[in-house]
Amino acid sequence: MTTRFVTRAIVIAGAVVGGQLACASPGIPPGGPVDTVAPKVLRIVPDSDKTGITPPEVLFVFDEVVNERPASAPSLDALFLVSPRDGTPNVSWHRKEISVRPHRGWKPNTTYTVTMLPGISDLRGNVRNTGAVTVFSTGPAIATARLAGTAFNWVVGTTAPRAFIEARPSTDSNTVYVTVADSTGTFLMRYMNPGTYRVRGIIDENSNRALDPREAWDTVTVALTDSAHVEIYAFPHDSVGARLSSVALRDSVTLELIFDHGINVNQQLTPQSVSIKTPDSAAVPVVSVTRSAVVLDTTGPPRARPSRGIPSTSLLVRLGIQITQSTTLHIRTIDIKGLDGVGFTSDRVLTVAPPKPPAPPPSPATGKSSPIPPAGGVPAPQPPPPPPPPPSPPDK
């Protein structure tokens, strides 16, 4: 009896301890309503519009634990901007708090804008679709100049959502104001000092806040007093001009020359810009050379349209003769300039063939193709049917 009693006591005690341990588990208890709300910002320290302060860090305080590995960005520090910028900001995760400070510390007499971008999430994957901002100055006053603008993907002719924008004062190479365009390509830099700025916009495809090879970008210079507005036309820069990549025959007298990137919108094109010869070196007369029309996508919500012309990537060449059969041509494009203004001469030997005429529509009665009516839409008269065969002689 004593052994059985002791054994039973041990089992009961183990069950009680196990139940207590289960209740003390740090995990999310089961049951209850499902959390579908993104983290809320309770406060930011320091508050906006403070002057004459040098905080150890800027602290974003949330109402719940936030995820230190956001799914919408390569890292947590990619969701925070410190402007002016001195490198990648130092961002630290503390469960319900995130601290931010500049890479090399706060500068004296400087107005700072610390921005949390949309993308912060909680442990359940609920993502904030709005950001938060605080502004303060390490000096006696907050700067008031502002720079607004729109970033465009120039070659495509659309706005550049989430483009990375930098503004460098001409008198201080160590100061870089930064911001990120919104989903419509629009951006706003506030709390800047007056002066002349060189503004650069980057279509930051990998969100690393830097210019990488083949990424589209461009710069514009602006004199900022109280406020200014700029348009940035980003495109992939190339030290070589536009190169001929392929040729298509639009019709019997029109060639379309397709290039590997945009053609300079300011270049004057003439028949001398293109030389065409047959295999026996006979010159094919060129009547005109024009840019192909660029058709913009007008579907979707209204967006800003660039005030500058959109560069074409092809030329239409009208010939002085007709091409009625498959023909090999030696085509040379002479000093065709890319968007950087650099010229390039290309040579291609290509065979072009006229497109096949469309098949006539089937006849409703027979299902067979009907003859194509002549110009004017009036069908050609049909030949009379053959006469019937003569009657057979009677049997004898």
Side-chain angles (χ1 to χ4, degrees), residues 143-202:
T144 58
R146 52 187 285 166
L147 174 65
T150 304
F152 292 98
N153 186 333
W154 192 22
V155 175
V156 182
T158 62
T159 57
R162 292 169 289 280
F164 183 56
I165 311 299
E166 301 173 325
R168 298 173 183 268
S170 59
T171 57
D172 183 2
S173 59
N174 295 321
T175 298
V176 185
Y177 293 89
V178 295
T179 191
V180 173
D182 62 15
S183 60
T184 67
T186 302
F187 62 88
L188 174 63
M189 286 183 177
R190 303 175 64 186
Y191 314 109
M192 300 172 67
N193 293 316
T196 300
Y197 288 85
R198 189 160 183 82
V199 185
R200 181 171 72 171
I202 304 171

Side-chain angles (χ1 to χ4, degrees), residues 66 108 222 279 337 351 365 374:
V66 295
V222 59
K337 292 179 172 58
T351 299

